[in-house]
Amino acid sequence: MNKIIIWSVIAALAGFLFGFDTVVISGADQQLQKLWHSSDAFHGSVVMGMALWGTVVGAIFGGIPTNAIGRKNTLLWIGVLYFISAIGSAMANDPYVFALFRFIGGLGVGASTIAAPAYVSEIAPAEKRGRLVALYQFNIVLGILIAFVSNYFLKDIGENAWRWMLGIQAIPAAIYTGLMLTVPKSPRWLLSKFRYEEARKVLVLIDPKANIEALMLEQNQENDAANETLFSKKYRFPVVLAFLIAFFNQFSGINAFLYYAPRIFKEAGLGDSTALLSSIGIGIINLVFTLIGVALIDKFGRRLLMYIGSVGYIISLGLVAAAFYFGWGGMAVPGFLFLFIAAHAIGQGAVIWVFISEIFPNHIRASGQAFGSSVHWVLAAIIPSLVPVLFTTIGPAIVFLIFTVMMVFQLLFVMFLMPETKGKSLEELSGELTNDKKRQIQKNEYEKTSALRAD
């Protein structure tokens, strides 16, 4: 089990780079707009938004290398992309070159949301899968916190402070890439490629007591269905689930808030230094409540955490909207947004990547995650890109009210549609969520035969 934890932590470090890359730009946001004299529309959609469009492309197409060259090799290349992006964006001298290198980093972010959860879910035992896959989310919020702290301490080193903020990511990117060389390939991916002996060796390393033949039988049954596509009728339900959880994740406003935290705090009347310090507070709250979510996800399940998060979203976002509408000053907005971050961390933050990695069969898992991640990142690109314009036109009160209403719909999704996935093997979930009666019959026959032999 110690090996599985170490390999899971290493793979999940892709999340650290994801979190750092996503938020580090917030410290350079207003410096870059002043430096290049950008309009709100150009700044939001190109300078700030290009990394998110790279993430969209990475999410849409990341399933291809994840399937073709494997989870491990894809994660290695993701580390390289982060390194190139950090160096290139730090050295850029115009907004177009800057946007290009941010786009490259975005490719790594998008692909990591497919490859890292897929890898960890495929090596983890069912009873610990939730918390191990959630290590990816923990690393995301750790990266977010470190980015906020890094930005705070680098903000006063001169007019080129933004270059240091962005370039420092090259160090963890290089360390992560080196560590990925030490982990084995996913055994379920190896089985899907008919590399049975390699898969057997990895499976023995993971769990010497595991029923390897039973797992290989399940995989063979999936290989028989390998000509089916993600959008085959039998996979409609998991596709709908992946779409909705990703859709609601972004319509909470989480990425818009993380990208523009200092700007939002300044809109609420805080000074520059206080705004950045409040951003660090956001990072700490995010980390603490993500740890709570990781600790609880296998004990209480995914749905309960989503219930807690949904109610927390509705209360906190409603209060933020009221604070902007009525002009409540002081620390009211930061306080309500701390509650918002806590609700996100313990709910959607802890659950989304775990849930999407569980609901698809092995042979289409990467494609299914690519679909869910694409929905997530298309919205994550559109919504933050619109924030500067929306704040100027309709105002922050209406923006946060829209997010509040969307979270009421998320609560209804959890109540009436979302299944519980805790404690079940990936193969068991595959049979249940795709209504694959043939596979269930074959599994039952195999179990009966095995029982008779044991007798």
Side-chain angles (χ1 to χ4, degrees):
M1 189 62 199
N2 287 337
K3 291 178 181 177
I4 297 174
I5 293 173
I6 291 170
W7 298 335
S8 298
V9 169
I10 292 172
L13 286 174
F16 177 90
L17 296 169
F18 164 178
F20 195 100
D21 187 83
T22 299
V23 168
V24 71
I25 189 69
S26 69
D29 168 23
Q30 294 176 72
Q31 290 182 55
L32 292 175
Q33 189 168 12
K34 290 177 183 176
L35 175 66
W36 290 321
H37 309 291
S38 305
S39 66
D40 282 347
F42 181 85
H43 180 68
S45 60
V46 178
V47 177
M48 296 292 286
M50 194 54 68
L52 284 168
W53 289 113
T55 302
V56 171
V57 175
I60 291 172
F61 296 105
I64 297 173
T66 303
N67 271 330
I69 65 174
R71 286 63 161 134
K72 173 185 175 176
N73 289 336
T74 302
L75 288 169
L76 276 169
W77 279 106
I78 285 168
V80 174
L81 291 175
Y82 281 129
F83 183 84
I84 292 171
S85 173
I87 298 297
S89 56
M91 297 178 67
N93 289 316
D94 67 72
Y96 299 100
V97 173
F98 179 85
L100 172 64
F101 282 104
R102 289 290 294 160
F103 180 87
I104 290 171
L107 293 176
V109 171
S112 78
T113 60
I114 300 165
Y119 179 84
V120 178
S121 71
E122 291 177 356
I123 66 170
E127 68 276 7
K128 292 183 171 62
R129 187 176 61 243
R131 73 191 72 168
L132 289 177
V133 178
L135 285 173
Y136 177 71
Q137 177 65 21
F138 169 77
N139 274 279
I140 292 173
V141 300
L142 180 62
I144 288 170
L145 174 60
I146 297 302
F148 279 138
V149 172
S150 174
N151 285 350
Y152 180 75
F153 285 107
L154 292 173
K155 66 182 174 63
D156 295 322
I157 64 171
E159 62 181 13
N160 287 320
W162 65 271
R163 296 187 187 275
W164 289 98
M165 290 178 180
L166 292 156
I168 202 168
Q169 187 184 1
I171 297 172
I175 294 171
Y176 161 75
T177 305
L179 289 173
M180 273 306 302
L181 293 169
T182 67
V183 307
K185 292 181 171 66
S186 161
R188 285 181 167 91
W189 177 77
L190 290 168
L191 286 172
S192 73
K193 298 300 180 183
F194 307 102
R195 293 159 65 172
Y196 296 121
E197 288 309 310
E198 289 180 73
R200 187 186 295 274
K201 290 176 183 177
V202 178
L203 287 166
V204 168
L205 281 174
I206 291 174
D207 185 2
K209 298 177 182 178
N211 189 339
I212 296 171
E213 281 66 30
L215 180 59
M216 292 175 72
L217 174 69
E218 292 276 2
Q219 187 65 54
N220 283 336
Q221 291 166 2
E222 290 198 356
N223 287 341
D224 292 340
N227 60 333
E228 297 171 340
T229 69
L230 175 65
F231 296 103
S232 298
K233 186 177 180 181
K234 65 190 291 186
Y235 304 127
R236 185 176 299 164
F237 186 49
V239 165
V240 169
L241 292 174
F243 174 85
L244 287 175
I245 197 167
F247 176 89
F248 287 124
N249 182 286
Q250 284 307 299
F251 266 96
S252 69
I254 183 63
N255 268 51
F257 172 64
L258 291 177
Y259 260 60
Y260 295 104
R263 183 183 293 236
I264 291 170
F265 290 142
K266 285 186 72 177
E267 288 272 354
L270 302 183
D272 286 342
S273 183
T274 307
L276 277 171
L277 273 176
S278 295
S279 299
I280 294 174
I282 290 295
I284 293 171
I285 294 290
N286 204 357
L287 185 69
V288 170
F289 280 87
T290 296
L291 278 172
I292 294 171
V294 170
L296 297 179
I297 193 167
D298 282 322
K299 184 175 182 180
F300 295 117
R302 290 56 162 153
R303 291 185 77 231
L304 180 59
L305 296 189
M306 286 291 287
Y307 271 120
I308 295 169
S310 297
V311 173
Y313 273 148
I314 294 166
I315 294 171
S316 59
L317 288 168
L319 288 170
V320 172
F324 276 111
Y325 184 79
F326 293 110
W328 298 341
M331 293 299 291
V333 169
F336 298 149
L337 285 171
F338 287 170
L339 176 59
F340 165 72
I341 287 293
H344 174 80
I346 203 168
Q348 270 273 11
V351 172
I352 180 171
W353 305 119
V354 175
F355 188 72
I356 294 177
S357 75
E358 295 175 320
I359 59 178
F360 293 101
N362 293 330
H363 66 288
I364 60 164
R365 177 164 298 112
S367 300
Q369 285 188 244
F371 170 76
S373 295
S374 298
V375 173
H376 176 279
W377 288 114
V378 166
L379 293 173
I382 293 171
I383 295 171
S385 296
L386 294 175
V387 163
V389 175
L390 289 175
F391 271 24
T392 303
T393 53
I394 65 174
I398 301 299
V399 172
F400 283 103
L401 180 61
I402 292 169
F403 292 147
T404 305
V405 172
M406 294 308 299
M407 292 304 93
V408 174
F409 287 112
Q410 175 178 277
L411 181 60
L412 295 175
F413 158 69
V414 177
M415 290 173 67
F416 297 110
L417 201 61
M418 182 179 177
E420 182 55 72
T421 57
K422 75 163 185 170
K424 299 176 181 178
S425 72
L426 295 175
E427 290 71 29
E428 185 180 356
L429 287 169
S430 172
E432 290 180 5
L433 298 179
T434 62
N435 195 26
D436 196 339
K437 295 179 181 178
K438 178 181 176 183
R439 175 179 299 162
Q440 195 61 44
I441 291 169
Q442 290 175 326
K443 181 180 178 182
N444 292 340
E445 288 176 350
Y446 177 83
E447 289 175 347
K448 288 177 184 177
T449 304
S450 299
L452 288 172
R453 287 175 181 169
D455 291 339

